[in-house]
Amino acid sequence: MTVTAERAAPAVQAPHPARARLGFAGLMVLLALTTLFVVGLAVSFGSVRIPVGDVWAIVAHRLAPGAFESWWSQARESIVLDSRLPRALTAAAVGAALALAGAVAQAVTRNPLADPYLLGVSSGAGFGVVVVTVLGLGVGALGAFTIPVAAFLGALVPLFLSLAIGGRYPQPTAVILVGVASAQVFSALITFSILVVADEHQLSSVMHWLAGGFGDSRWSTAIFPAVALGTVGAAMMLSASRIDLLQAGDDGAAALGMNVRRFRVLQLLGVSMLAGAAVSVAGGIGFIGLLVPHLAGYVVGARAVRLLPVAAFLGAIAMVAADTAARSVARSIEVPVGVVTALVGAPIFVWMLYRQYRRAEQ
C-alpha cells in the first residue's frame, strides 16, 4: 500500500499592523516629496530656465532672510516668487481638491463614473463668469477677485437647487438628477450668451476660461482652493471611516447608526464646495477628479482612510505636471490645461476600464 504524504501549505501571515502603517506612512512621505519635486520642476521650466536648486534657494532665502548670501538676480527672484511659484501651488491645490472631491463623490454615490462636477458646479461657475464678462454685471467690483468670486457664486446656484429640490427625496439619485438638469440649463445659458451677446474679445476670454488654465494665477487667487482644501478637505478625511460604511450598502450603514441620507447630502455638499473653489480659479478641467481616484484605488485599495489622502497627492502631482506640459508644448501660445488632461486622461481611463472588465470576464 502506497501512502501519499501531502505537505501542508504554509499559512499566509497578515502583515503586522505596525509594518502596514509604516508602509503607508512611507508612501505618503514619497508622495509628498514627489509633489515638492514636481512643483520645483514646474517653477524651473519656462522661457527663462532656472535650476531647481536655485528655485528652492530663492524660496528658502525668502522664508529665512539673511540666512545666506544670494547669488541670483532680482529678475529671477521675481519670476520664481511672483509668477511661477504661485501658479504651481495653485495648480497643486486645485488638483488635490478635484481628486479628493472625485474620490468622495464616487464613494458616497457608489458610482465609479461620478466626478466633482456631479451637481452642475462647472456649468454654474461658467455662467457666473459669463455674467461678469459678457453681461458686464459687477465687472471690476472686487478687482482681481471679481472673476473667481463670480465663478464661485455661480457654482453655488446649481448646488442649492440640487439640495433644495432633490434633497427632499430619500433616493440619492434625486439630488444627482437635479444637478444634471441644472448643468444642462446653465450650459444652454452659456451658449446663448456667447452666440447672441458676446463680442469677439469676450468670446475669446470666456472660451479660454472654460477650457481651464492657470495663466492668471496669483498668490491672491490661490486662497480659494487652499482654504477649501484645508477646511472641507480636512473634514472629508476625518469622516473617511464613515464613508467606508457606505460600501456595505445603505441598509448596512443605517444598521450601524448612520443617518445615510444626511451624511450623503453633506458629503455631496463638500464635493461641490471643493469643485466650486477649484473651478473659480482654474475653469473647467476634466478627468482629474474622474481618473485620479481610480489610480489611487489601484495603489492603496478602496478604503477611504487611505484612498482620500493618496488621491489628493496624486491629483496635485497630475495637475502640476499637466500645467507644466500645457505651457511647454508651444512657445507662442499656452495650451489650455483642460485640453492636456483630456488628451492624456481619456486614453488612460479607457485602458483602465478595459483591464477592469477583462479581469471581470476571467
Side-chain angles (χ1 to χ4, degrees):
M1 182 176 60
T2 305
V3 179
T4 304
E6 294 185 359
R7 181 178 297 178
V12 179
Q13 296 183 351
H16 192 276
R19 190 180 304 170
R21 287 194 298 269
L22 180 62
F24 181 68
L27 174 63
M28 296 302 294
V29 171
L30 176 62
L31 289 174
L33 293 177
T34 303
T35 303
L36 291 176
F37 176 74
V38 173
V39 168
L41 286 181
V43 178
S44 174
F45 286 162
S47 57
V48 177
R49 295 293 297 272
I50 302 175
V52 177
D54 289 4
V55 169
W56 294 119
I58 292 171
V59 174
H61 188 266
R62 174 58 62 91
L63 295 176
F68 53 88
E69 294 292 332
S70 61
W71 62 84
W72 52 84
S73 64
Q74 188 65 32
R76 290 200 169 193
E77 181 173 344
S78 178
I79 291 173
V80 170
L81 298 178
D82 299 332
S83 177
R84 294 183 187 173
L85 184 60
R87 175 171 181 157
L89 293 180
T90 301
V94 167
L98 289 178
L100 180 60
V104 172
Q106 292 170 12
V108 299
T109 62
R110 296 198 297 275
N111 182 359
L113 297 180
D115 72 350
Y117 308 134
L118 193 65
L119 301 183
V121 170
S122 180
S123 299
F127 184 68
V129 173
V130 167
V131 168
V132 173
T133 306
V134 177
L135 303 182
L137 301 180
V139 60
L142 298 176
F145 290 98
T146 301
I147 295 296
V149 170
F152 186 73
L153 294 178
L156 296 182
V157 176
L159 170 63
F160 173 78
L161 293 175
S162 299
L163 298 180
I165 301 175
R168 297 181 178 182
Y169 303 94
Q171 296 84 0
T173 54
V175 177
I176 299 173
L177 291 176
V178 175
V180 172
S182 301
Q184 295 300 316
V185 171
F186 283 108
S187 295
L189 291 175
I190 292 173
T191 303
F192 176 82
S193 301
I194 290 176
L195 295 179
V196 177
V197 183
D199 57 29
E200 293 184 2
H201 177 72
Q202 294 169 339
L203 175 62
S204 175
S205 177
V206 172
M207 293 302 296
H208 182 77
W209 187 91
L210 291 175
F214 299 94
D216 298 327
S217 297
R218 299 292 183 270
W219 287 112
S220 57
T221 57
I223 294 175
F224 289 90
V227 170
L229 193 61
T231 54
V232 179
M236 286 178 169
M237 292 190 184
L238 291 176
S239 63
S241 59
R242 301 186 68 193
I243 293 176
D244 284 330
L245 295 180
L246 293 177
Q247 303 306 315
D250 289 2
D251 293 338
L256 295 173
M258 177 187 292
N259 187 330
V260 176
R261 177 183 174 188
R262 182 177 65 183
F263 181 76
R264 180 176 283 116
V265 168
L266 288 176
Q267 293 300 315
L268 290 177
L269 174 64
V271 166
S272 296
M273 294 291 288
L274 281 178
V279 170
S280 68
V281 299
I285 299 177
F287 278 98
I288 294 294
L290 178 63
L291 176 63
V292 170
H294 290 276
L295 293 176
Y298 274 110
V299 176
V300 294
R303 288 189 59 202
V305 174
R306 297 189 172 195
L307 177 67
L308 298 188
V310 170
F313 272 117
L314 290 178
I317 294 169
M319 187 66 81
V320 175
D323 180 55
T324 305
R327 59 186 177 84
S328 304
V329 170
R331 294 182 179 272
S332 58
I333 189 172
E334 183 174 312
V335 178
V337 180
V339 174
V340 176
T341 58
L343 290 176
V344 176
I348 295 177
F349 189 69
V350 171
W351 174 76
M352 290 175 60
L353 289 177
Y354 170 75
R355 286 197 59 186
Q356 179 179 351
Y357 285 113
R358 186 178 180 182
R359 188 182 299 116
E361 291 177 353
Q362 295 175 350

